[in-house]
Amino acid sequence: MTVLLFFMPMFMFLVGTWIYISKRKHLMNMLISLEYLVLSIFMLLMLVTFLMGLETYVSLIFLVASVCEGSLGVGMMVGMVRSHGSDYISSFNVLKC
Amino acid sequence: MFVLSMWNLIFLLFFSFSFILFFSSMLFLNLSYSLYLSWNIFSWGSTDINMIFLLDWVCLMFLSFVLFISGSVFYYSGEYMEGEINLSRFIFLLAGFVGSMGLLIFSPNLISILLGWDGLGLVSYCLVIYYQNYKSLNAGTLTVLSNRVGDVLILLGIVWMINFGDWSFVAWLGSSNSLILVSALIVLASLTKSAQIPFSAWLPAAMAAPTPVSSLVHSSTLVTAGIYLVIRLGWVYDFWMNELLMILSVLTMFMAGLGACFEFDLKKIIALSTLSQLGLMMYSLSLGLVKVALFHLLMHTLFKALLFMSAGCIIHGFKGWQDIRMMGNMMISLPFISSCFVVSNLALSGMPFLAGFYSKDMILELSLMEELNLLSLFMLFLSTGLTVAYTFRLIYYMVRRDYVMSGSGNLSDGWGVMVKSCIGLVTFSVFFGALISWLSMDVNSIILPKSLKNLTLTVCILGLILGFFMSQSSYTFSKMKFSLMIWFSGSMWFLPYLSSQPMTYIPLKLGSEIMKFGDMGWLEYLGGQGISSYISNMSLKIQIMSMNSLKVFILILWILVSVFMFF
């Protein structure tokens, strides 16, 4: 029963990863999928710490870090829009910085 | 007026040294004294490295002759090389040459002989290529490569002599197999320096050098270095290479004598006469007549240097023209020089009681007393006759006949410096034969039947008739009927062609093949061009591969991470 509980966050994790790596048009897709991933990992973390009888505040620390990461991602997207004109992934060139 | 220029300074220095050395050599000879000077450079335990000079009467006398001739040549060059831009180069080269010769003369051990020998070869190369044109370049290359063979042989002799623990000739006690090998190598090396048969192409070619150089280097000192080395050796070992030496020297004598009868370049005729006399010296060495060979060496240096110097005066008067077909009537226009010329030519051909007579006649009569085979004796006397023949042919062409180039310009003695430098040499080439033979040579008793005793004189007179009178009708002998024989005899039995063309064909061909197939072919494919084109191709493909969306790389990264996590 407790193992079955893990299915949903795992499924969320896999779906989020799938969206992250698949080839889409916008950078915003990647950032939203990252937030989704964060949510799934938050849920997993809460579940694991509760079911093992540990303190659950570690998930708060994780949340703080993930918020910083989200804002960093948005800042990078803004920079990209300023330099490349839009957030299309196809305007990236791996060979040119 | 005697200008105290560098030429004259060196001339005075060398002259005074030459007289000092001559009298010291007479002193040493009378007291049977010799000086062994040894400077210990360093010693490690039982090994000593010494620089040794052995002064005995032979070296002192030879060096006095060398310095006398060099002094005269330096004084002579003061006029001959006037207007030359690179005077200091010339003076340094000549002085370096005399220094190397001195080192060779005084050294009893093979290492310092090699130093002098290599120095001689190198400096003579620099002097032959002094006038910078293609002819001098070819001549210089032929000279230095022929001399290099001799250097290699002496180096091999040095290697083999390590067994004795000492490289000096004084270490040769007793006889062993190594001694035979070392002496054979040294004799072969002297064959290259003294231009005997397989290696004689360089001597007429080296006449591309300026005339003072020819008179110092190619008549007296460089070519006699080989003979001198065998003479030094001859006091120590027992002549194991007699037959080979005799064959080669007799052939050289004959070839050179024959060649000089058909040659028309003045300096080449004199070079071929030098070659013939060198053959004669080698011949007397092969008979074991060491002291007589030394005597002939010394006398030969005197009159040959004189011959070159007077020929140089004539060439200078003609502003560089060397062909004797255009020369004539020297006796009227250049009386003193043509007298020197005639005197040295007569001394060369063995005119009785001039300098060459004492030594040359001694060799001929002593060889008649030996038990020789008929062929070598025949060729010896034939070569003697040919010597007289080309001598008198030359005298006819230059001195006896009338003007050929009428209105060609005036021929004069210049400032008189070149003339004055010949005075000492002509005096000595008249008197020194008798003087040296009375002072230092052994008295050999000659016991011969009357016919053999008169043979020398008969051969000389026949040669005179042949040379002098046949050359007056020289046009009839240049008909096409004998042209192959004349070409064969006149070009030294094709030795210059044999020494240059086959030797250079294979290396040049190999070189061009290596260049074409290697340097511009496979080595480029494996090296520079091949690698660069490969790299540019590969980087093009990599560029094509990496011009993808960023997501592809992230996908690949995720695959790798998941694989890494699950295994």
Side-chain angles (χ1 to χ4, degrees), chain B residues 185-205:
Chain B
L185 284 169
I186 294 180
V187 166
L188 285 175
S190 76
L191 285 182
T192 69
K193 196 70 128 186
S194 300
Q196 303 301 305
I197 268 270
F199 309 105
S200 25
W202 69 267
L203 190 53

Side-chain angles (χ1 to χ4, degrees), chain B residues 372-389:
Chain B
L372 285 178
N373 54 340
L374 188 60
L375 184 63
S376 66
L377 207 55
F378 176 67
M379 289 187 45
L380 172 70
F381 279 90
L382 187 62
S383 313
T384 312
L386 281 175
T387 305
V388 186

Side-chain angles (χ1 to χ4, degrees), chain B residues 193-463:
Chain B
K193 196 70 128 186
S194 300
Q196 303 301 305
I197 268 270
F199 309 105
S200 25
W202 69 267
L203 190 53
M207 294 297 121
T211 312
V213 169
S214 296
S215 99
L216 178 57
V217 172
H218 300 119
S219 66
S220 327
T221 44
L222 180 69
V223 293
T224 57
I227 311 265
Y228 180 71
L229 196 58
V230 180
I231 288 176
R232 291 288 258 185
L233 217 58
W235 262 290
V236 181
Y237 85 104
D238 194 24
F239 285 98
W240 291 294
M241 288 189 60
N242 280 349
E243 289 92 10
L244 181 69
L245 264 185
M246 178 178 288
I247 294 172
L248 291 179
S249 58
V250 159
L251 282 175
T252 311
M253 257 201 292
F254 180 55
M255 173 190 81
L258 200 55
C261 288
F262 293 106
E263 184 62 57
F264 287 109
D265 182 355
L266 179 59
K267 284 178 74 173
K268 277 209 171 57
I269 297 180
I270 306 180
L272 289 169
S273 79
T274 308
L275 193 54
S276 174
Q277 297 304 305
L278 287 173
L280 182 65
M281 287 180 231
M282 269 299 185
Y283 176 79
S284 69
L285 279 175
S286 74
L287 290 177
L289 310 167
V290 175
K291 266 197 157 175
V292 190
L294 174 71
F295 186 31
H296 192 59
L297 183 90
L298 294 172
M299 297 300 109
H300 172 258
T301 59
L302 286 177
F303 54 73
K304 197 45 70 70
L306 176 66
L307 190 56
F308 264 112
M309 279 160 69
S310 43
C313 204
I314 295 169
I315 291 172
H316 196 67
F318 272 103
K319 308 281 181 286
W321 184 259
Q322 288 178 356
D323 200 335
I324 60 173
R325 287 173 286 203
M326 292 301 184
M327 297 180 185
N329 205 3
M330 291 293 140
M331 197 53 96
I332 310 290
S333 31
L334 298 171
F336 185 75
I337 290 294
S338 57
S339 315
C340 292
F341 191 75
V342 169
V343 164
S344 59
N345 268 319
L346 291 177
L348 169 67
S349 51
M351 171 84 153
F353 310 117
L354 286 182
F357 167 73
Y358 288 93
S359 50
K360 201 166 171 188
D361 205 55
M362 187 74 75
I363 293 177
L364 291 173
E365 291 180 349
L366 281 174
S367 68
L368 277 174
M369 290 207 316
E370 306 269 340
E371 295 169 357
L372 285 178
N373 54 340
L374 188 60
L375 184 63
S376 66
L377 207 55
F378 176 67
M379 289 187 45
L380 172 70
F381 279 90
L382 187 62
S383 313
T384 312
L386 281 175
T387 305
V388 186
Y390 66 68
T391 300
F392 279 89
R393 171 179 179 263
L394 194 60
I395 288 179
Y396 168 72
Y397 265 96
M398 309 264 304
V399 169
R400 173 77 183 87
R401 65 175 180 171
D402 213 349
Y403 262 129
V404 177
M405 282 176 106
S406 56
S408 65
N410 74 65
L411 219 54
S412 73
D413 279 341
W415 312 329
V417 167
M418 288 198 283
V419 168
K420 276 185 263 188
S421 63
C422 295
I423 289 179
L425 279 173
V426 76
T427 322
F428 288 160
S429 74
V430 169
F431 294 123
F432 252 40
L435 193 74
I436 301 287
S437 77
W438 294 334
L439 285 178
S440 59
M441 293 297 143
D442 302 333
V443 176
N444 295 309
S445 49
I446 311 279
I447 303 172
L448 287 172
K450 193 161 78 165
S451 59
L452 289 182
K453 186 79 179 150
N454 290 330
L455 181 61
T456 315
L457 203 57
T458 322
V459 163
C460 287
I461 292 177
L462 280 176

Side-chain angles (χ1 to χ4, degrees), chain B residues 103-114:
Chain B
L103 187 59
L104 180 80
I105 290 174
F106 278 148
S107 315
N109 68 341
L110 219 47
I111 300 277
S112 41
I113 283 180
L114 182 69

Side-chain angles (χ1 to χ4, degrees), chain A residues 8 10 21 35 39 49 56 60 73-74 87-88 92:
Chain A
M8 209 235 350
M10 286 294 212
I21 63 178
E35 295 303 315
L39 271 178
T49 51
T56 54
L60 266 173
V74 170
D87 67 341
Y88 291 145
F92 276 157

